[in-house]
Amino acid sequence: MKRKLIAAVGAAAMVAGVTACGSDDDSGSGGGDKTLTVWAMDGSAPDPWAKELNKAFEAQHKGVKVEIKVQQWNGIQEKITTALSEDSPPDVLELGNTQTAGYAVTGGLADLTDMKSELGYDKWNKGMVPSTELDGKLYSAPWYAANRAVVYDKKVFEDAGVKPPKTRDEWVAGLQKIKDKTDVQPIYLPGQSWYVFAGFLWDEGGDIAAKDGDKWKGTLAGPEAQKAMEFYKKLNSFSTAPKDADEATPQQSTDVVPKGKVASWIGLGWEAAGAIEAIEKAGDKADFGYFPIPGKTADTPGKVFFGGSNLAVSERSPNKELAQEWLKMATSEKWMKKYAEATEGGLLPNSPAAQVKPAAGSFAEAMVKSSEAGALTPITPGWANVETEPNPIKEYMTKVLKGTSPGQAGKDADKVIDERINKS
């Protein structure tokens, strides 16, 4: 799988674009020498899949040509916002799942509510659905998602007599054994890996913010957040990672892990691939294993953040019906299965029925096991403001790890979240 493709998934502000539309059952309506414009992010879709999809769509819609315009990540949010306000926007866009609501509230996206049945709404992955809707209306279809898993050094675990854990308690006990029996850092976990913390918070039944009447309020001062941070702090105690930085500063996969002395870390598929590449480039050989982030009990994996993308149609599209037909084809079970095959199972398609069986022992296998526990940040147009640096969630985590009480740190963070999340 191309690293660019998977790298797209980890970004919190993921806004993107892909290719083609239509339905496998379309009779070939539409046509008349029209061009359907699709914004696709650099590296977002495998070329063979996109070309096959477009060819099938064009065959069903005589006189229609699908034109893919590849976009770069830098500045894409502003570019999409501007494009959606113009008279001739792209017909179809790929939007980051945490950002879709922000575009929907502006009126820039077409209402797809009447198409739920045609789009296969009831068969979509339940963890992906919330990001596609706003105020009870459907504004996009889920395309793909990915989540984090634990990457571990098989030799270090074997030397310490540790097996992949099934529960939180087993996880901590294993890290302690690695600490006692080896000179390797049991886990590399920076203080500001807030996506990981969010999973622990969801495990406790809490969230970063909650609806309070017509407003949203931060909830990091609550008992659920305190319990989540207590567990995060316990894991962090086995790590020498900085308490005031995230997993990208330095980049854990390419700047930390390849230097050795790291028994395990939490990351995405593209990070695992990047670490393997960097280790091999240095003349060594990586021997990684993977397991889902453990939950409190063995029967349920820990909650994980679903980073991914949705496909939407511009409200002002000059070819709205064609665009909707394209979206219907691109997100159908048939084409989502082809997509999953093209990405070698490394990304989760919008429907469990389209998921291909990943290779045994692969990162994808661990990721799929966690997918049933996928979750999203609060679905509200103002969420993007919360993630803006300085990120109050990150600052909250650092304060707690450096000794501030979770209650006080939570109150400080909630003030910032309250102000930001209620801005449109």
Side-chain angles (χ1 to χ4, degrees):
M1 183 188 332
K2 293 182 179 179
R3 182 179 175 187
K4 279 185 179 180
L5 176 66
I6 323 173
V9 181
M14 180 183 247
V15 274
V18 65
T19 27
C21 162
S23 169
D24 299 331
D25 298 324
D26 288 343
S27 60
S29 60
D33 297 326
K34 294 182 179 180
T35 297
L36 191 72
T37 303
V38 180
W39 276 14
M41 298 308 296
D42 184 21
S44 190
D47 286 342
W49 178 84
K51 289 178 179 178
E52 185 183 2
L53 177 62
N54 285 337
K55 183 178 180 180
F57 181 78
E58 291 168 357
Q60 293 181 13
H61 301 82
K62 302 302 181 183
V64 174
K65 177 70 175 177
V66 179
E67 182 179 0
I68 303 170
K69 293 189 176 181
V70 177
Q71 307 297 313
Q72 300 302 314
W73 293 104
N74 189 33
I76 189 60
Q77 293 188 56
E78 294 80 5
K79 189 170 184 179
I80 289 178
T81 298
T82 300
L84 290 176
S85 67
E86 296 176 341
D87 292 332
S88 297
D91 299 295
V92 183
L93 310 92
E94 179 193 353
L95 306 173
N97 59 4
T98 65
Q99 305 297 324
T100 304
Y103 295 118
V105 78
T106 67
L109 304 182
D111 185 347
L112 306 175
T113 307
D114 292 341
M115 294 182 64
K116 278 187 176 182
S117 178
E118 295 176 76
L119 291 170
Y121 177 92
D122 292 337
K123 296 182 180 180
W124 288 342
N125 185 305
K126 302 307 179 186
M128 298 182 189
V129 172
S131 71
T132 65
E133 300 176 305
L134 181 67
D135 297 332
K137 294 184 177 181
L138 185 70
Y139 289 98
S140 62
W143 185 33
Y144 66 81
N147 52 259
R148 289 164 174 76
V150 181
V151 185
Y152 71 97
D153 187 309
K154 289 182 179 179
K155 186 176 186 308
V156 174
F157 269 53
E158 183 178 347
D159 289 345
V162 176
K163 295 182 178 180
K166 300 292 186 181
T167 66
R168 283 189 181 185
D169 289 341
E170 290 179 4
W171 193 9
V172 172
L175 295 176
Q176 185 64 54
K177 287 183 70 174
I178 293 171
K179 180 179 180 180
D180 294 340
K181 295 186 176 184
T182 75
D183 62 349
V184 178
Q185 181 177 188
I187 186 171
Y188 182 83
L189 181 63
Q192 296 185 344
S193 292
W194 73 271
Y195 288 120
V196 176
F197 163 73
F200 299 156
L201 179 54
W202 293 325
D203 280 341
E204 299 296 342
D207 208 336
I208 296 167
K211 198 74 179 293
D212 183 18
D214 294 332
K215 299 286 187 179
W216 284 81
K217 296 195 70 174
T219 53
L220 292 183
E224 297 87 357
Q226 180 172 339
K227 291 178 182 178
M229 269 309 297
E230 285 174 354
F231 182 64
Y232 193 99
K233 190 173 184 177
K234 185 179 294 185
L235 292 181
N236 180 262
S237 70
F238 292 101
S239 176
T240 62
K243 291 179 170 55
D244 58 355
D246 61 19
E247 67 278 8
T249 315
Q251 175 52 250
Q252 60 182 8
S253 60
T254 55
D255 297 331
V256 178
V257 174
K259 295 178 181 178
K261 300 295 183 179
V262 175
S264 64
W265 48 289
I266 301 171
L268 289 157
W270 71 266
E271 291 182 289
I276 293 172
E277 181 181 347
I279 290 170
E280 292 178 346
K281 186 176 292 186
D284 294 323
K285 185 177 181 180
D287 188 16
F288 290 152
Y290 314 95
F291 59 84
I293 294 175
K296 291 186 173 184
T297 59
D299 59 336
T300 305
K303 293 283 189 180
V304 286
F305 171 72
F306 255 164
S309 288
N310 300 328
L311 291 172
V313 173
S314 300
E315 172 62 23
R316 299 188 183 188
S317 164
N319 306 298
K320 189 183 294 186
E321 290 186 9
L322 278 173
Q324 291 173 339
E325 290 301 306
W326 177 85
L327 184 145
K328 194 163 59 173
M329 176 181 276
T331 59
S332 68
E333 184 177 321
K334 172 183 176 179
W335 287 97
M336 290 308 317
K337 187 170 184 178
K338 285 177 177 287
Y339 182 80
E341 292 169 346
T343 60
E344 300 174 8
L347 292 173
L348 300 167
N350 65 11
S351 166
Q355 179 65 49
V356 298
K357 185 177 181 179
S362 65
F363 181 94
E365 183 182 51
M367 181 181 69
V368 170
K369 288 179 180 178
S370 295
S371 64
E372 64 185 76
L376 292 168
T377 49
I379 305 302
T380 174
W383 176 254
N385 302 323
V386 176
E387 293 185 28
T388 302
E389 296 293 345
N391 185 321
I393 311 165
K394 290 183 178 182
E395 294 188 335
Y396 158 78
M397 296 172 69
T398 295
K399 285 181 179 179
V400 174
L401 292 175
K402 288 188 173 183
T404 302
S405 71
Q408 183 57 56
K411 288 179 181 178
D412 294 341
D414 287 343
K415 288 180 181 178
V416 180
I417 293 173
D418 292 352
E419 179 183 352
R420 292 186 184 184
I421 200 170
N422 291 300
K423 288 182 179 179
S424 59

